[in-house]
Amino acid sequence: VIGGSDAPNVVALAGGVGGAKLAEGLQAVVGDRLTVIVNTADDTERHGLLVCADHDTVMYTLAGLENPELGWGLADDSWTVMAALERYGEEGWFRLGDQDLATHIVRTDRLRRGERLTAVCRHLQARLGVAATILPMADEPVRTQVRTDDGWLNFQDYFVRLRQAPEVHEVRFVGVEAAQPTAETLAAVAAADVIVVAPSNPIVSVGPILAVPGMTEALAHARAGGVPIAAVSGIVGGKALKGPADRMLASLGHEATALGVARLYRDLADVFVLDAVDAALAPAVEALGIRAVVTDTIMTDDASRARLARAVLAATAPA
Amino acid sequence: VIGGSDAPNVVALAGGVGGAKLAEGLQAVVGDRLTVIVNTADDTERHGLLVCADHDTVMYTLAGLENPELGWGLADDSWTVMAALERYGEEGWFRLGDQDLATHIVRTDRLRRGERLTAVCRHLQARLGVAATILPMADEPVRTQVRTDDGWLNFQDYFVRLRQAPEVHEVRFVGVEAAQPTAETLAAVAAADVIVVAPSNPIVSVGPILAVPGMTEALAHARAGGVPIAAVSGIVGGKALKGPADRMLASLGHEATALGVARLYRDLADVFVLDAVDAALAPAVEALGIRAVVTDTIMTDDASRARLARAVLAATAPA
């Protein structure tokens, strides 16, 4: 399957880095047949500008512009504005590169002029030449907060400022009740041949997407119509590939293993893709009523991203 | 007169470059006893960010950060964000440097949070270590428009995009009726020992300041109380030192000479400072009822700025 009119319509649900890597692999395989529905609950206002953290990581990655060292922002970006902002007394812990800032400036301007977030993001993607379609999970603002020993924190305070050090006792998605799937996300799900849940944090990356009222129903409707849903484990050998998912799963009472992730997706997915190092967990996954597919899930380069994408799509193909 | 508690309180009315140069000279002489009331009718929104063109030129100049080649922006600034904005399809004719953008980002953020423009500008000045006080002429938005053969244009369209090429048939200050002098500008005028009108464009730089309802009355009240008001000609030898003031004066029916400028200020000023090359115009200026003071008004460096500042202050001293 290499793009073109024969390629399946693929919808991926994704957060940041891990989701972006698999999305890049999927884009390499199905081209513009890929739609990525991204988490927006990590979005944050910095210096009056709206930063869409997961959207931008996915967008930059699909445009080939991402910064692989940092895991966010653009490659070879500079920090001149940030230094000038700090000279004015602005907080500097959320680093925004110069080129990256242009994204947030344009987005904020267009939103203030009344454009929907979806339209703004599509404009940005088009200008960067992204083949796939990246859709915010909702146009309405939703914001993740985590409860720690020091009370409720905004997600980026926990994630960036405190470097995920505090233990998370509870998670909430402020505003999610008032959010709704967009016409674009519903149309993408309705047109999907395959739906993929990326190896993103199941609690704070995929969780908010599924919490948008009507989204799980739309996914269930597609599945009832024969569209396979495959979820990829972001926990390998009991460790998160990136970020605090393992500790977060444990502190919230889940098992910090691929099996623990599979349990969270048991009502959602037909297929669960887990890494070869976790092959021993496959029978327990299958006991949940999900087909387990064991493969190498570590994405170190373009080739391994496309390889995993092909493996996931193959796993959902009719036997 | 070199700063300190013996220095007079000086209020200067100023636009951009010419005003900034004399303001720098005045700051060198009276230090924090200087208050500059700046034109805000050149302000413009770019990419959703409020740019206060004249304020920022004066601020950067008084902070020693100005770009002398461009006449706007900061020395040694870079253009990374601008290039990224253009990649997103944004108009690029109004060039904003990276460090400069931080000013507009912070200003816009603070305004949206409900701060007054005056407070925002004072914050920026304090962080850049400016000794003088720079006050917007009003907190309310006022925008200059010029009527050309192609109809009404926003000022920066005329000034930057069209490089002042069109002939100006009429000028208006949109919003000025709803503007008012701030408590800070009124207090500065009330406390002034000397008031100086900088060699800025009398039509579109000083004009808007004087058009704020109540400002000319405040100046007249100070003058009636014995505070001298000195205006410096920005037209030397029939040419504007910078910008289109000469052509604008002519197309609006005024004489494009220092005498033409003096006529515009005849009801405002006690003293009119004109350049040595225009010495022959001094009798005609005096015939207007204004004392004419002839000196070298060209400000090529710090020394000549301070020299002109001293000359202007000396010209207003009681005989």
Side-chain angles (χ1 to χ4, degrees), chain A residues 87-88 103 112 123 127, chain B residues 87-88 103 112 123 127:
Chain A
R87 181 164 62 176
Y88 284 129
T103 304
R112 292 212 191 270
H123 166 74
R127 297 294 307 198
Chain B
R87 181 163 63 176
Y88 284 129
T103 304
R112 292 213 191 269
H123 166 75
R127 296 295 307 199

Side-chain angles (χ1 to χ4, degrees), chain A residues 106-126:
Chain A
V106 173
R107 173 163 39 226
T108 303
D109 185 26
R110 287 179 167 249
L111 286 171
R112 292 212 191 270
R113 290 170 189 273
E115 272 189 44
R116 297 164 53 224
L117 181 61
T118 298
V120 173
C121 290
R122 293 292 293 135
H123 166 74
L124 299 171
Q125 297 155 31

Side-chain angles (χ1 to χ4, degrees), chain B residues 26-39:
Chain B
L26 290 166
Q27 183 180 253
V29 176
V30 304
D32 63 6
R33 295 297 183 98
L34 173 65
T35 299
V36 187
I37 299 176
V38 289
N39 172 37

Side-chain angles (χ1 to χ4, degrees), chain A residues 47-48 59 65 78 80-81 84-90 98-99 102-103 105-106 109 112 123-124 127-128, chain B residues 47-48 59 65 78 80-81 84-90 98-99 102-103 105-106 109 112 123-124 127-128:
Chain A
H47 321 290
M59 177 174 73
L65 299 170
S78 49
T80 306
V81 180
L85 288 170
E86 291 189 85
R87 181 164 62 176
Y88 284 129
E90 296 283 300
D98 294 329
Q99 295 181 62
T103 304
I105 290 170
V106 173
D109 185 26
R112 292 212 191 270
H123 166 74
L124 299 171
R127 297 294 307 198
L128 296 188
Chain B
H47 321 289
M59 176 174 74
L65 299 170
S78 50
T80 307
V81 179
L85 288 170
E86 290 190 86
R87 181 163 63 176
Y88 284 129
E90 298 282 302
D98 294 329
Q99 294 181 63
T103 304
I105 290 170
V106 172
D109 184 27
R112 292 213 191 269
H123 166 75
L124 298 172
R127 296 295 307 199
L128 296 188

Side-chain angles (χ1 to χ4, degrees), chain A residues 18 198-200 202 232-243 245-247 249 255-262 272-279 281 293-299 308:
Chain A
S200 302
V232 183
S233 181
I235 302 285
V236 173
K239 295 284 176 198
L241 292 172
K242 186 159 196 317
D246 45 6
R247 287 181 295 120
L249 282 167
E255 193 177 299
T257 65
L259 177 59
V261 177
F272 190 76
V273 178
L274 65 174
D275 194 81
V277 305
D278 293 319
L281 298 173
V293 173
V294 175
T295 189
D296 180 8
T297 65
I298 308 297
M299 295 177 281
L308 178 59

